[in-house]
Amino acid sequence: MRTELRRMLDATANRSTDDNFDWWADINWSQTEAHVRALRQRIFTAAQEANPKRVRNLQPPLGLLEPDE
């Protein structure tokens, strides 16, 4: 997912703001939402366990989320 998203973002990085975001419809939103939900749960669990290092490590920069494999 990371490579695919990066490729789409790179392809649109130099376009004007008037261009359509056709790639937006190609994103598998149900899969993306499931990954985000799982990551949020892992962050919550780490916070509940008072594990700040794990919480920090689970919070990637925006746009760089990868599914667990």
Side-chain angles (χ1 to χ4, degrees):
M1 182 174 147
R2 174 194 236 180
T3 307
E4 178 183 273
L5 183 58
R6 185 169 295 243
R7 202 175 314 124
M8 286 188 272
L9 291 173
D10 287 345
T12 60
N14 295 320
R15 291 185 183 175
S16 71
T17 55
D18 295 333
D19 288 339
N20 291 330
F21 290 96
D22 295 332
W23 55 269
W24 193 257
D26 294 336
I27 295 174
N28 184 341
W29 288 109
S30 60
Q31 181 185 34
T32 302
E33 289 170 354
H35 291 305
V36 170
R37 194 176 314 112
L39 180 58
R40 288 181 68 193
Q41 182 61 48
R42 291 173 63 200
I43 292 169
F44 174 79
T45 302
Q48 290 293 92
E49 294 170 353
N51 190 341
K53 183 177 179 182
R54 184 166 177 234
V55 170
R56 188 173 52 250
N57 288 336
L58 285 171
Q59 295 175 333
L62 186 63
L64 297 180
L65 297 176
E66 285 185 319
D68 291 333
E69 296 182 289

